[in-house]
Amino acid sequence: MNALGDARFRLDDIVHQLLLTLDAPAEAVRGQVFQAGTGRETTVAALAHTVLEVGDRPGRIERRPPRQGDVARSYSDISKAGRVLGYRPQVELADGIRRTLAWFESALADPELAALARQGPSSGSD
């Protein structure tokens, strides 16, 4: 039995979609691109408010004028993933953010990972 058939697993949407893709017949997915997400538009403002609310930390949101090249609207069209893979998102935005924050808190509690975080971003060429 694969992980999708095992009720002990509660998968995040992206992992769930990847497993559906791996379990699908090769001829159905070969060379295909599938978008993942909720299929619902979420504004940056709503995302920021949710992060502050779920994270239960102080913070403030600053509104600034858009920069040249900023994308005004975007969302994932998951209709193809639903049609071909049977993908249906299960994780609500606030729960997904809560899980992500918990993962980062756990990772930063690991001394080795915390040391990497203090080093800052790499150039990608090292």
Side-chain angles (χ1 to χ4, degrees):
M1 178 180 293
N2 67 23
L4 292 176
D6 191 331
R8 294 175 299 164
F9 292 99
R10 179 156 184 229
L11 302 173
D12 290 324
D13 288 337
I14 301 298
V15 173
H16 182 201
Q17 185 181 359
L18 288 171
L19 289 172
L20 286 169
T21 305
L22 291 170
D23 285 345
E27 60 275 4
V29 296
R30 183 181 299 118
Q32 298 297 313
V33 174
F34 298 97
Q35 291 189 15
T38 64
R40 294 187 309 256
E41 184 177 33
T42 302
T43 66
V44 172
L47 180 62
H49 284 288
T50 304
V51 168
L52 288 178
E53 181 181 305
V54 169
D56 196 29
R57 291 196 173 85
R60 67 172 196 195
I61 298 168
E62 291 183 25
R63 294 186 183 272
R64 301 226 173 142
R67 297 171 298 180
Q68 185 176 359
D70 278 354
V71 176
R73 300 179 74 111
S74 179
Y75 83 103
S76 296
D77 180 355
I78 60 169
S79 59
K80 181 177 170 184
R83 198 173 52 255
V84 175
L85 305 172
Y87 170 72
R88 301 283 180 270
Q90 303 294 313
V91 180
E92 292 297 322
L93 179 64
D95 191 33
I97 291 171
R98 189 175 295 108
R99 291 180 193 187
T100 301
L101 292 173
W103 182 89
F104 274 104
E105 287 172 352
S106 172
L108 290 174
D110 179 317
E112 288 184 45
L113 292 176
L116 290 174
R118 285 191 297 276
Q119 289 176 6
S122 73
S123 67
S125 61
D126 20 314

